[in-house]
Amino acid sequence: MAGDGAVAGDGAEEEDEEGEMLAGPPLQPNGFLPGKEAERGSHAAGADAGALPEAQAMLPSPGSGVARAPIRLSRRRLAVLAVFSLYSLVNAFQWIQYSILSSVFAHFYRASYSRVDWLSMVYMVAYVPLILPATWLLDTRGLRLTALLGSGLNCLGAWLKCASVRQDLYPLTLLAQTVCAVAQVFILGLPSRIAAVWFGPKEVSTACAVAVLGNQLGTAIGFLLPPVLVPNTVDDIDLMGHNISIMFYGTAAVSTVLFLLTGFVFDEKPKFPPSQAQAVLQDIPPEDYSYKQSIINLFRNIPFVLLLISYGMMTGAFYSVSTLLNQMIVTYYMGEEVNAGRIGLTLVVAGMVGSIICGLWLDYTKTYKQTTLIVYILSFVGMTIFTFTLDIGNLVIVFVTGGVLGFFMTGYLPLGFEFAVEITYPESEGTSSGLLNASAQIFGILFTLVQGKLITVYDPRAGNLFLCAWMFVGIILTALIKSDLRRHTVNSGILITDLKAFS
């Protein structure tokens, strides 16, 4: 059955043998549809007045004779997004399953709490030094190999955990978690790349949000499922080991299925580009690409550098709050560890809703800077309210303010990814996303250390005010970012068409 949308002009929609759809009439040599040339600084172009000439320079010049590939949407894109989201979910679940059961694993492995904490911290420690090699691999060897590495290492780590269920095998379970941490490096930078390579301009931000959502959903399930599967049976070590085995083998089985699906579903790219921006990139000869030059270009891009710092501050603050939430709650509400976990779950679930809403909003409006700035300001307001209501003695208010905080702070994640892709096009989406994640990890470690010290020496309010101060700086930096939407400018020539795959 054909899609509903009408296509501008008299060109007919055509479906090929793979269920892909040709969208609209042939492009003119200038890269735009007949009679729809974008005007400098127009609202449709979605960019500043000076941005269009640079974007047009990427398109074939009139009379060049260069044939542009037809723009089509592949049905497979939905399967690619689903499989990625699921193995990203399992990777996040494997990260949180130790920290949510810290007392169980400390007892089982006869280890100190600090050693158990390393089973979670290894995720952050592994990311920063490995991100550049991982993004180099993504840019030079491609999406399929990177996806297979992420899913495969996640599967390998899960099976190593199955072999570590013995009280004297803490080093093996640490090794297994380290393998999962390395897998994470090949996972976190992919949402914006998958969205850009497989999805059309009217759905790219929503696709990125859904890809990010998988990781958040894994954390949410990690809060709920492990305590049910592995109750703290301190008087029966054999039963505890049996329950841990059930959790580990179940995770390994799911990881194996997803690894096989990744090999079956993932292609390097669809047969036809889904957007004009991707069509332009496919015309660039591979020998013209330099990873080193791409990194240099990114750090010379002042708007991206400002976003890199402001994104690190916001996301690092969220990591710090999530890590120290239990400590903050029990300071004012003694014996409420269970509710502290539920408040953490509320942050994550509300953030999942925020991510999807922000992604849909970006696809509808293309107001990248405005939306990013507003969400940043609302996150700062939410953090301020959370800080000054935490100690009033009412847990219901803490649930509400925590939910609001999670909605905006986590909703910011796909905004940052997509804004970075827009202002750095045609540089690699994986490289810009990887650098953003590295910034978040660095700020997260620093903020967690400093906030934890402030909470210990003074109180949670002092630690939260520390974060508020840095978030205010992030607002100023975000306001200074020039909104040069390069990718959207290139796509603007075809945005008048309605790209829909045949159902």
Side-chain angles (χ1 to χ4, degrees), residues 58-257:
M58 303 174 189
L59 303 172
S61 59
S64 65
V66 177
R68 178 74 65 215
I71 307 302
R72 300 189 181 189
L73 293 181
S74 170
R75 284 177 176 171
R76 179 173 287 200
R77 73 195 193 284
L78 301 178
V80 169
L81 181 63
V83 171
F84 170 78
S85 298
L86 288 173
Y87 79 71
S88 178
L89 179 156
V90 175
N91 184 257
F93 176 84
Q94 294 205 77
W95 164 60
I96 203 69
Q97 67 183 174
Y98 285 105
S99 62
I100 200 66
L101 294 173
S102 56
S103 58
V104 171
F105 283 105
H107 185 73
F108 182 78
Y109 287 114
R110 295 176 293 207
S112 65
Y113 278 95
S114 62
R115 294 179 73 194
V116 174
D117 289 342
W118 271 106
L119 295 170
S120 296
M121 288 192 294
V122 69
Y123 264 62
M124 286 190 286
V125 173
Y127 192 89
V128 176
L130 293 178
I131 184 55
L132 289 181
T135 53
W136 173 84
L137 189 74
L138 175 61
D139 289 349
T140 58
R141 296 295 182 266
L143 180 61
R144 175 176 166 82
L145 177 61
T146 305
L148 286 171
L149 276 173
S151 182
L153 289 171
N154 196 54
C155 177
L156 175 61
W159 282 108
L160 285 174
K161 289 180 183 180
C162 295
S164 72
V165 187
R166 211 171 69 190
Q167 286 192 281
D168 60 337
L169 290 181
Y170 168 85
L172 181 56
T173 208
L174 177 60
L175 173 63
Q177 188 72 334
T178 302
V179 172
C180 293
V182 175
Q184 175 210 213
V185 182
F186 297 100
I187 294 173
L188 290 187
L190 288 191
S192 56
R193 169 62 71 91
I194 290 173
V197 170
W198 284 90
F199 288 81
K202 290 187 177 181
E203 57 188 14
V204 63
S205 297
T206 303
C208 182
V210 171
V212 172
L213 179 71
N215 206 265
Q216 299 167 0
L217 184 59
T219 304
I221 295 175
F223 275 117
L224 290 176
L225 195 55
V228 175
L229 295 175
V230 189
N232 194 1
T233 56
V234 292
D235 297 327
D236 193 339
I237 291 295
D238 291 336
L239 178 59
M240 182 181 289
H242 175 71
N243 292 333
I244 292 173
S245 291
I246 290 175
M247 180 174 68
F248 283 171
Y249 274 104
T251 306
V254 173
S255 299
T256 303
V257 171

Side-chain angles (χ1 to χ4, degrees), residues 459-481:
D459 55 28
R461 177 173 293 185
N464 287 335
L465 287 175
F466 166 79
L467 295 183
C468 287
W470 283 104
M471 290 174 67
F472 184 76
V473 174
I475 292 174
I476 296 173
L477 295 179
T478 302
L480 294 174
I481 297 174

